[in-house]
Amino acid sequence: MIKRAILGAGILATGMWSASSSASAENLTMYCGVDEVWCQQTARAFEEKTGITVDMTRKSAGEIYAQLRAEAANPKGDIWWGGTGDPHLQAAEESLTEEYKSPLLDQLQPWAIKQAETSGHRTVGIYSGALGFGYNKDLLVKNNLPEPKCWADLTKPEYKGHIQVANPNSSGTAYNMLATIVQLFGEDKGFEYLKALHKNVNQYTKSGSAPIKAAGLGETTIGIVFIHDAVSQVVAGFPIVPVTPCEGTGYEIGSESIIKGARNMEAAKKFYDWALEADVQSTAQDAGSFQVPSNKAAKTSDKAPDLAAIKLIDYDFKKYGSSEERKRLLKKWDEEVASLPQ
């Protein structure tokens, strides 16, 4: 009986120790809005650096924003890392993300700091990239198509069935394109453009980078994406030619945000700060991602698009990052563009 009591006490003590150890272990639930390879690389690097276990889910920025809204009463995520800044700003406006000022803020580019200030410090810029498109040069020759150089070129009848772009309801990239076209041409002419483009689109994808990956594989001729995604395909050995539209173009400020009510708040803050470090941002190119990093001391790949050499519009992040404007534009796109026959 004494032996049994001692053994039972030992088992109980072991169980209590295990539960205590498990409870003290740090975890982080991460919603990731960049390419899968970069998401995985970042999650694993943070685990190795801190010992914090990361549960990572990769989705498009629009999908993550929708998930935050759906989970608002019972948040399941801790950190939202990557993806275009517009949905991050919309989430900030709706108080779906937490106010936080990183001690690394003064190390960042002015555009990254402005993103933080615009959001009331509920998000911050981690990279930037210009919008454009890319084409498969082999398919272009095979189909005897002219080289597209401008946004206007993409509406020409000869490109019918040769273009892919993401759906702006799910993709931050495509919403950025929608807002870019409206700002570049004006709303009336912008929507006329989108209707004309619609006739040439063979598929609206869920993910923003999917169109250029399809072009690389020869599944479509042209993909509308951020130019750095086209560069990634070039570096990977696919026959892609990146194009900066002649009329000018918009750009993104990829961002990160701490989710309001995060269950692992301290781990989320650790990740938020860590992801702003120069050496961390310098590793993006190792994952085949060629955005311009926000930390001024981070290394930018010589393959990354030179934003200073691109004709960029004065993108109104405050207006097009608002929930009201997003809802209005998407409703109009659904009713006036997506509903049309192709």
Side-chain angles (χ1 to χ4, degrees):
M1 290 293 292
I2 293 175
K3 287 184 178 180
R4 287 181 184 176
I6 293 174
L7 181 60
I11 292 171
L12 180 61
T14 301
M16 289 175 66
W17 181 87
S18 297
S20 175
S21 175
S22 176
S24 64
E26 285 191 275
N27 299 284
L28 181 76
T29 298
M30 170 185 176
Y31 297 158
C32 188
V34 297
D35 189 75
E36 178 75 27
V37 175
W38 195 11
C39 288
Q40 291 288 355
Q41 175 181 290
T42 301
R44 302 295 80 82
F46 183 68
E47 285 182 330
E48 291 175 12
K49 177 71 175 181
T50 64
I52 296 172
T53 301
V54 179
D55 179 13
M56 189 277 291
T57 300
R58 194 273 163 198
K59 290 185 176 181
S60 295
E63 293 180 294
I64 297 174
Y65 167 61
Q67 185 169 354
L68 261 60
R69 295 188 73 193
E71 295 175 353
N74 183 27
K76 294 179 173 57
D78 300 311
I79 191 84
W80 174 9
W81 184 75
T84 53
D86 293 326
H88 281 269
L89 290 173
Q90 289 144 17
E93 183 187 359
E94 296 179 35
S95 296
L96 297 172
T97 49
E98 194 78 29
E99 182 179 342
Y100 178 65
K101 290 184 180 180
S102 172
L104 280 76
L105 204 60
D106 61 357
Q107 297 181 22
L108 306 183
Q109 297 283 356
W111 46 262
I113 296 172
K114 186 177 180 181
Q115 182 81 342
E117 292 172 346
T118 299
S119 70
H121 292 279
R122 292 179 184 273
T123 192
V124 69
I126 54 175
Y127 61 78
S128 186
L131 186 70
F133 52 88
Y135 63 84
N136 183 310
K137 58 186 178 182
D138 294 343
L139 286 181
L140 209 71
V141 172
K142 180 180 178 181
N143 291 289
N144 195 29
L145 294 170
E147 178 187 351
K149 296 181 179 180
C150 308
W151 287 116
D153 291 337
L154 302 186
T155 63
K156 293 178 178 178
E158 52 262 46
Y159 294 111
K160 184 174 178 61
H162 286 282
I163 299 172
Q164 275 190 24
V165 63
N167 187 311
N169 288 285
S170 63
S171 164
T173 303
Y175 177 77
N176 186 278
M177 187 205 75
L178 171 57
T180 290
I181 294 300
V182 167
Q183 291 173 82
L184 190 61
F185 299 124
E187 186 161 328
D188 290 342
K189 290 185 178 179
F191 268 84
E192 288 305 312
Y193 173 87
L194 293 167
K195 292 173 188 176
L197 177 68
H198 177 77
K199 296 176 182 177
N200 292 343
V201 173
N202 59 54
Q203 182 183 353
Y204 288 102
T205 63
K206 183 182 290 187
S207 165
S209 61
I212 201 64
K213 292 177 180 177
L217 294 171
E219 297 170 355
T220 192
T221 307
I222 301 167
I224 300 175
V225 290
F226 287 113
I227 298 171
H228 52 252
D229 287 327
V231 171
S232 295
Q233 293 297 298
V234 175
V235 174
F238 294 101
I240 294 297
V241 177
V243 179
T244 302
C246 70
E247 301 95 336
T249 193
Y251 64 102
E252 69 165 334
I253 296 177
S255 303
E256 69 170 343
S257 307
I258 295 173
I259 297 169
K260 185 77 171 180
R263 299 176 182 179
N264 301 293
M265 184 61 72
E266 290 308 308
K269 290 178 179 178
K270 286 179 184 178
F271 181 94
Y272 191 99
D273 293 337
W274 173 84
L276 295 176
E277 294 177 5
D279 59 342
V280 173
Q281 293 192 358
S282 296
T283 63
Q285 55 191 298
D286 298 338
S289 293
F290 299 99
Q291 291 91 330
V292 176
S294 66
N295 191 303
K296 290 181 284 189
K299 295 178 182 177
T300 301
S301 170
D302 57 2
K303 298 179 180 64
D306 181 4
L307 297 184
I310 298 173
K311 185 180 178 182
L312 298 175
I313 65 171
D314 186 14
Y315 194 102
D316 191 340
F317 288 98
K318 185 173 183 179
K319 178 178 180 179
Y320 294 96
S322 72
S323 295
E324 183 179 350
E325 188 65 5
R326 174 189 172 87
K327 290 174 186 175
R328 187 185 72 81
L329 281 181
L330 289 177
K331 184 174 185 291
K332 187 169 183 176
W333 185 85
D334 286 338
E335 292 175 350
E336 297 187 14
V337 180
S339 62
L340 295 174
Q342 288 177 285

